[in-house]
Amino acid sequence: MKMCHSEVIKYIKELENKKDQLLSLENRNSTFSYQEGGNKIVPPYSYKKTRSEVDALDEQIRKLRHALAVANCSVMVEEFGVTIGEALVMLAQYQNKRSVLETLSNRQQINSHSTFGGGAEITECNYDVRQAEKDYENLRILIGKLQVAIDRANLTNYVEV
């Protein structure tokens, strides 16, 4: 069966959610308490069956992630001339850079405040804050374009699952 990358990603999330629910149920039902001499109310639980179901889900998730990883290494994000895998790394790098530029662009070029002795301490940026603001805005736009390009590639390319 063929699925687009976005469908595979959503299906992996569904399988992981199913696994989380199964592990939560196991956590609740794998033990029980009762009073000495009282009736035991044993919750429905099978160690062997649960382990088997978790292992099957893990195998399915692993195969899907592998298929996606292989595709991410070969499918191109045309607008940027890189593979999806490279684009994802690029996106993370851009987001880190955006954080730095946001900090730099929010500073005042020159700032002063009174010191304890009544004098003035002046702090001045040794870069052009306006340039940092422009670079920050340009990078925000570029990140948006990259995200859309990655989404487009994930929606228009298919993998065999």
Side-chain angles (χ1 to χ4, degrees):
M1 167 172 74
K2 284 192 172 198
M3 296 172 79
C4 76
H5 296 189
S6 292
E7 289 173 308
V8 173
I9 292 166
K10 287 179 191 263
Y11 188 45
I12 289 169
K13 286 180 183 176
E14 285 178 33
L15 292 174
E16 287 174 340
N17 186 46
K18 194 176 200 178
K19 179 182 167 184
D20 288 343
Q21 289 175 340
L22 188 59
L23 291 173
S24 178
L25 185 65
E26 177 180 49
N27 188 43
R28 285 193 312 271
N29 293 339
S30 61
T31 62
F32 61 97
S33 299
Y34 59 95
Q35 298 226 343
E36 189 176 344
N39 291 335
K40 290 183 186 179
I41 300 174
V42 182
Y45 170 73
S46 167
Y47 173 83
K48 188 175 182 177
K49 180 182 177 204
T50 302
R51 297 280 49 86
S52 175
E53 289 176 3
V54 168
D55 290 345
L57 287 168
D58 279 343
E59 182 179 355
Q60 211 175 354
I61 291 167
R62 188 172 50 251
K63 286 180 179 183
L64 289 168
R65 285 192 179 281
H66 174 71
L68 203 53
V70 168
N72 284 349
C73 290
S74 58
V75 173
M76 296 296 290
V77 177
E78 297 300 329
E79 299 91 323
F80 288 83
V82 297
T83 64
I84 292 175
E86 289 174 288
L88 292 170
V89 171
M90 187 185 298
L91 181 60
Q93 290 171 331
Y94 284 172
Q95 287 172 334
N96 288 336
K97 184 177 180 179
R98 185 195 70 206
S99 179
V100 171
L101 289 178
E102 182 177 24
T103 299
L104 293 171
S105 67
N106 283 329
R107 291 186 178 153
Q108 293 180 355
Q109 190 68 48
I110 298 175
N111 189 15
S112 68
H113 68 276
S114 298
T115 64
F116 182 69
E121 180 178 79
I122 299 171
T123 304
E124 186 173 347
C125 294
N126 61 356
Y127 63 92
D128 184 357
V129 174
R130 288 185 306 246
Q131 184 61 52
E133 290 169 355
K134 289 176 190 173
D135 291 346
Y136 171 71
E137 185 58 32
N138 289 338
L139 186 58
R140 279 186 352 91
I141 291 167
L142 182 62
I143 287 171
K145 288 179 181 179
L146 180 57
Q147 287 171 325
V148 168
I150 291 169
D151 289 346
R152 185 177 300 114
N154 280 331
L155 287 168
T156 59
N157 290 281
Y158 292 81
V159 292
E160 188 68 39
V161 293

